[in-house]
Amino acid sequence: AFSHPPYFLLVGIPGLEKEQFWIAFPFCIMYAIAVLGNITLLLIIKGEPSLHEPMYLFLAMLALTDLVLSTSMLPKMLGIFWLGSREIGFLSCLAQLFFIHTFSSVESGVLMAMALDRYIAICCPLRHSSILSVPVVVALGSLVLVRGVLLVSPFCFLLRRMPFCQHHVISHSYCEHMAVVKLACGDTRFSVIYGLFVAFIVTGSDMILISVSYTMILRVVMRLSSTEARLKAFSTCASHVCVILAFYVPALFTFLTHRFGHSIPSHLHIMVANLYLLVPPMLNPIVYGVRT
């Protein structure tokens, strides 16, 4: 039998245990805005038949993803910060890890699909509806979800098979893959390498496709004769790029810090890791919803 502890203890934000109580308030407000914003967006898209187009369907996928992502970590985190309930059962921890990493991957995929949608809309406007028909949009969404599930599931299977000896204190606010792997006392090399592989496959491929899409869009926009049309296209793309950066920059920061950034203070690293699951869900409905 594999010896894993019945539960883990989540520290919260290592080094800021005293301040956690107050830090929870802004986190809670951000979560409230994220939930309200994304549910509002979903209701508007559902209720307005003219919005059943690729762009808005992707937007609805993004809103759903954001709701799952922020809800899979925040309520438990508030429990740690406000009530001091730091225990999380072993399987609950794996479930949280699965949801957070799967839906981070889905979020990345949906942002990539949205960039492709913008590219087709601006570069081949006449063929947009024939290329991105509703079945194609649904297929893209399903592929992105399946990719996340297939790539992240092995994290959980590998962790279930690892011995944990006596280590059960996770110095993080939620069950993050590397934070849990660090507690195992067997050979974790495969888990670490596989984690790197998944992160590079997902963020790498998505970021390359997003960059290519926006480069092509910019080339088309620069050729537009009217300044007004150019500005409009620029401002739309600029807001999208901001959201994309708000997602990828902290994602890469947290991910690389776990493996290489041992000199970075842990409270800074964990703060960024928390904000990365709260800021995009809060910003997305504002930036995309209001803009579109």
Side-chain angles (χ1 to χ4, degrees):
F2 301 104
S3 59
H4 44 68
Y7 62 87
F8 288 115
L9 286 177
L10 288 162
V11 169
I13 304 176
L16 293 179
E17 285 88 351
K18 294 215 169 39
E19 292 78 9
Q20 274 175 187
F21 182 82
W22 302 108
I23 293 172
F25 286 98
F27 278 11
C28 192
I29 293 166
M30 288 160 80
Y31 178 62
I33 296 173
V35 170
L36 272 171
N38 286 299
I39 289 177
T40 309
L41 204 56
L42 283 169
L43 291 174
I44 293 173
I45 293 171
K46 185 176 182 293
E48 181 54 63
S50 68
L51 296 183
H52 298 175
E53 288 177 8
M55 180 171 185
Y56 298 103
L57 294 175
F58 286 133
L59 201 49
M61 288 177 201
L62 191 66
L64 272 173
T65 306
D66 282 337
L67 284 170
V68 175
L69 204 52
S70 50
T71 304
S72 50
M73 54 79 93
L74 199 91
K76 177 64 193 163
M77 201 193 294
L78 293 180
I80 303 166
F81 291 1
W82 280 339
L83 311 171
S85 70
R86 295 165 49 205
E87 277 185 27
I88 184 167
F90 184 77
L91 292 177
S92 308
C93 184
L94 290 190
Q96 188 186 44
L97 179 149
F98 172 78
F99 277 104
I100 287 173
H101 289 286
T102 298
F103 282 89
S104 290
S105 154
V106 171
E107 173 119 0
S108 177
V110 174
L111 288 173
M112 176 217 29
M114 291 172 85
L116 284 178
D117 168 66
R118 291 298 77 207
Y119 162 67
I120 297 170
I122 290 176
C123 301
C124 354
L126 300 177
R127 291 170 47 216
H128 183 242
S129 52
S130 58
I131 298 174
L132 277 183
S133 58
V134 172
V136 171
V137 171
V138 173
L140 265 174
S142 311
L143 271 174
V144 163
L145 180 61
V146 169
R147 174 185 76 167
V149 171
L150 290 180
L151 287 173
V152 174
S153 299
F155 286 175
C156 302
F157 295 126
L158 288 166
L159 283 168
R160 273 205 76 162
R161 301 180 70 91
M162 279 184 185
F164 280 87
C165 315
Q166 296 305 310
H167 311 300
H168 66 271
V169 178
I170 301 176
S171 46
H172 208 304
S173 326
Y174 54 86
C175 292
E176 199 271 344
H177 176 238
M178 278 306 297
V180 181
V181 168
K182 284 180 175 170
L183 300 182
C185 53
D187 181 9
T188 58
R189 267 176 313 187
F190 184 73
S191 269
V192 173
I193 291 166
Y194 181 67
L196 273 170
F197 163 76
V198 168
F200 280 123
I201 282 288
V202 171
T203 49
S205 60
D206 292 352
M207 282 173 80
I208 289 167
L209 280 165
I210 289 171
S211 311
V212 170
S213 296
Y214 277 108
T215 310
M216 310 283 261
I217 289 171
L218 279 177
R219 283 175 54 188
V220 172
V221 169
M222 293 307 282
R223 288 198 213 111
L224 291 175
S225 49
S226 93
T227 319
E228 195 187 342
R230 237 186 277 174
L231 283 175
K232 193 178 172 220
F234 265 132
S235 72
T236 308
C237 293
S239 59
H240 290 196
V241 170
C242 289
V243 173
I244 288 164
L245 291 176
F247 177 74
Y248 285 112
V249 171
L252 287 168
F253 173 82
T254 12
F255 163 78
L256 295 168
T257 308
H258 255 308
R259 290 159 179 87
F260 315 109
H262 302 297
S263 56
I264 291 174
S266 60
H267 62 267
L268 177 70
H269 166 203
I270 306 296
M271 270 307 256
V272 173
N274 292 341
L275 290 173
Y276 140 69
L277 295 183
L278 277 175
V279 173
M282 179 184 74
L283 282 182
N284 289 346
I286 299 172
V287 171
Y288 287 111
V290 172
R291 288 230 63 107
T292 33

